Amino acid sequence: GARLFPREPRDPSRPTLEVVRGAIAPFDEWRREMAELAGGLAALESDAPGADARGAEALARWSELEARFHATGGWDVDARIERELALLGLGPSVLERPFATLSGGEQTRALIAALFLVPDAFALIDEPTNHLDLRGRELLAEYLAAKPGFLLASHDRVLLDACADHTVSIERTGVSVLRGGYSAWKRERDRREESERHRHETLEREVAHLRRAARDRRAGAEQKERSKRGAGDKGFIGHRAAKQMKRATEIERRVERRIEERSTLLRDWEKERELALQSPAKPLAVPLKVSNLVLRLDGRILIDRLSFELVRGARIALIGPNGCGKTKALDAIAGERLPAPFTLEGVVALAPRALVTRAHQVPRWRTGFLRDRLRADGIDETWFRQLLGGLDIERDLFEHPLETLSQGQLKKADLARSFLGPQDLLIWDEPMNYLDVLTRERIEEAILGSEATLLVVEHDRAFIDRIATEVITLGS
């Protein structure tokens, strides 16, 4: 049967080895019941009333459990778990730790390994990269590339290219299947859009020609209608004028049919609404300087002497493993006070009067209604709706509580505030999480088409490769 990721473990307080075992099959329950049955059989007195029947029943149940245990690889499951987790960069010490103490990325990798340890199961994997750092994504890509038979839903373009041999694209107009990964799908999409654009232009020219022809014929028919008043053979001229008028009317109908045909032909061509980042009228030459930034957690150094200068139009990406202090560094740079036991040294020089916008890893707006949030922050609803349209969010977003929205919708609403007005500096923390591929590409185009100055923490390798002018690795 099929096995789905993600699926919450029943008791995350248990050691990771037990959690992973339980995700494969109820080995511990089977082993416990088998031990109880064996103990009961040993204690059963042969001369007791009904002993033979009870013994036969217990033996049958034990045999059934032992067969399941054997078929699912229970006798060597611990060794197989250790080998599988090693392929995903998780050492033996992880197995002893309570599952709840693992990072989100470690938990993700452990549970994905469990999917492929279930005999004859087909893995269904939904968005596995949301909690993985760059190295974790690379390990997952290598791991999945070596595995047969799974269905993966992901917006990570590098991952899809690395491990997918077919791509199923779910669009507004239907579902298509294409051989290859993301790059093959993108080439096909670009080819289709170029073809649709050409058809669109051809139809536009044809419609313009038909409109001119209809206008000319109607003008000629009206002239004949006026001239028949002074003609000797009014019946003949009137008949010809009526015939020309009828032709003009038919051409108008053909124009309308062409317009309708154009709409049908272009139904797969999704018109992108404009999404643009704005710069101030007098942008700052150097919005930010960071010198010798040292971040400690309980005295342990997470970031050691980080220094950089962010000039206008530069786009710096901070990368590094989970837990190395990237988000806390953004907090400090944005002027937020760090909670104990974090301590900070060094200089963060944000230019006076700098216009700074922050997009957070976890969206700030998660409860209530979006309209109320906008009103509280003095944001024009009409303008915000237009921005959400550029991020491909439907208008009914305003009619539902934020608690009912998807993670992707919440993320888009948080990012939309970055496009509200001119900014000297954008500070984004994992902006690509939960966003679909088309939205990611649209945001990348907006960045590249602007003079935006950006400091970003991100694990999407395709995004970093495309937009970053400089990459700084932390925790290495």
Side-chain angles (χ1 to χ4, degrees), residues 56-365:
E57 182 179 340
L59 185 60
R61 175 59 178 166
W62 187 94
S63 298
E64 177 189 348
L65 291 173
E66 196 278 336
R68 290 184 189 176
F69 198 84
H70 177 76
T72 50
W75 299 115
D76 65 344
V77 65
D78 289 358
R80 290 190 295 117
I81 289 173
E82 185 171 337
R83 285 197 303 269
E84 207 73 9
L85 263 60
L87 296 175
L88 285 163
L90 299 176
S93 62
V94 168
L95 296 173
E96 303 170 4
R97 292 166 50 193
F99 185 80
T101 67
L102 270 57
S103 70
E106 290 170 331
Q107 292 181 1
T108 291
R109 284 178 279 164
L111 292 177
I112 285 178
L115 292 179
F116 292 96
L117 287 169
V118 180
D120 301 321
F122 188 80
L124 305 175
I125 308 171
D126 185 18
E127 287 294 349
T129 61
N130 284 329
H131 299 290
L132 294 181
D133 56 28
L134 275 172
R135 181 55 182 157
R137 293 180 187 216
E138 291 170 355
L139 288 167
L140 178 64
E142 294 170 4
Y143 180 80
L144 291 179
K147 295 296 182 182
F150 57 85
L151 183 62
L152 168 68
S154 177
H155 300 305
D156 189 297
R157 292 158 284 183
V158 173
L159 176 67
L160 292 173
D161 267 342
C163 67
D165 54 23
H166 286 76
T167 298
V168 179
S169 176
I170 303 173
E171 301 173 17
R172 293 177 178 177
T173 54
V175 178
S176 62
V177 181
L178 180 72
R179 183 183 294 274
Y182 162 78
S183 294
W185 172 82
K186 187 176 187 303
R187 285 193 298 271
E188 175 60 22
R189 187 197 68 181
D190 292 345
R191 184 203 62 78
R192 188 175 70 243
E193 287 188 351
E194 181 60 31
S195 175
E196 294 291 352
R197 190 173 293 108
H198 177 71
R199 294 164 72 186
H200 168 80
E201 293 169 354
T202 300
L203 284 170
E204 287 283 4
R205 289 193 297 269
E206 184 178 350
V207 167
H209 172 74
L210 288 170
R211 287 191 186 280
R212 285 193 301 271
R215 188 167 54 249
D216 293 345
R217 287 183 178 276
R218 178 172 288 278
E222 290 174 349
Q223 184 179 359
K224 287 292 184 181
E225 182 69 22
R226 289 193 299 270
S227 67
K228 75 178 182 179
R229 296 189 181 93
D233 185 1
K234 293 184 178 180
F236 171 73
I237 295 177
H239 172 73
R240 188 167 63 182
K243 188 175 181 180
Q244 286 185 327
M245 183 68 76
K246 181 179 179 181
R247 286 177 179 173
T249 303
E250 288 177 352
I251 289 176
E252 287 180 350
R253 289 173 180 166
R254 286 172 60 192
V255 170
E256 295 304 322
R257 285 197 297 270
R258 281 294 185 183
I259 293 173
E260 182 179 354
E261 179 186 357
R262 182 187 66 184
S263 300
T264 302
L265 289 172
L266 298 178
R267 64 187 180 275
D268 286 336
W269 188 28
E270 297 183 2
K271 182 70 173 177
E272 293 185 3
R273 282 167 279 191
E274 183 178 1
L275 187 66
L277 289 163
Q278 304 173 51
S279 297
K282 295 182 179 180
L284 298 171
V286 184
L288 175 68
K289 290 182 180 180
V290 174
S291 302
N292 296 317
L293 186 71
V294 178
L295 177 67
R296 289 183 171 89
L297 173 62
D298 278 332
R300 178 171 60 90
I301 293 178
L302 298 179
I303 296 176
D304 190 14
R305 297 187 298 277
L306 172 64
S307 298
F308 63 87
E309 183 176 88
L310 198 53
V311 301
R312 186 179 71 188
R315 301 182 295 269
I316 293 180
L318 301 180
I319 66 173
N322 292 330
C324 73
K326 300 183 298 296
T327 294
K328 286 295 182 286
L330 292 188
D331 290 342
I333 291 168
E336 298 183 19
R337 186 173 182 178
L338 299 184
F342 289 96
T343 59
L344 188 71
E345 300 171 9
V347 177
V348 175
L350 193 62
R353 299 182 301 279
L355 301 173
V356 181
T357 292
R358 180 95 187 267
H360 298 83
Q361 183 182 141
V362 179
R364 290 297 190 254
W365 294 344

